[in-house]
Amino acid sequence: EEQRAVLAALPPADRADVTRLLRYADGTVGSCMQTEFVAVDEADTAELALQRVRRAPREAPVSVLYVLDDQRRLLGRVSLT
């Protein structure tokens, strides 16, 4: 009951994220994964990639950039630490 009340009070986008994470059992990797990330295109310059980092929501620090191809497939990652 308390969970329903909390979910109902969330904005729709946040509610969808939380509901998706609640499907994972407590203590599993899925239950604690970060859903927000910064992705850059393989053709992006370093300057453009940094602009994307600066515009990213600040809910969690950005420590990794994910590099995607033109089909939005993961090519690799760049650590910022």
Side-chain angles (χ1 to χ4, degrees):
E1 187 63 34
E2 183 178 354
Q3 187 180 70
R4 282 191 201 128
V6 170
L7 286 172
L10 292 173
D14 291 339
R15 185 179 322 125
D17 285 342
V18 171
T19 300
R20 186 172 50 254
L21 291 174
L22 286 172
R23 293 182 187 141
Y24 297 96
D26 284 342
T28 64
V29 173
S31 69
C32 61
M33 69 181 165
Q34 183 176 333
T35 59
E36 300 293 324
F37 60 91
V38 177
V40 296
D41 295 328
E42 64 182 318
D44 283 357
T45 63
E47 181 179 350
L48 184 54
L50 287 173
Q51 288 174 9
R52 291 182 195 275
V53 170
R54 290 182 186 115
R55 287 194 310 254
R58 292 294 173 177
E59 294 178 20
V62 176
S63 59
V64 175
L65 298 179
Y66 294 94
V67 182
L68 308 178
D69 68 11
D70 59 350
Q71 300 294 311
R72 307 280 303 160
R73 291 179 297 215
L74 180 65
L75 295 175
R77 58 190 289 277
V78 178
S79 175
L80 300 179
T81 58

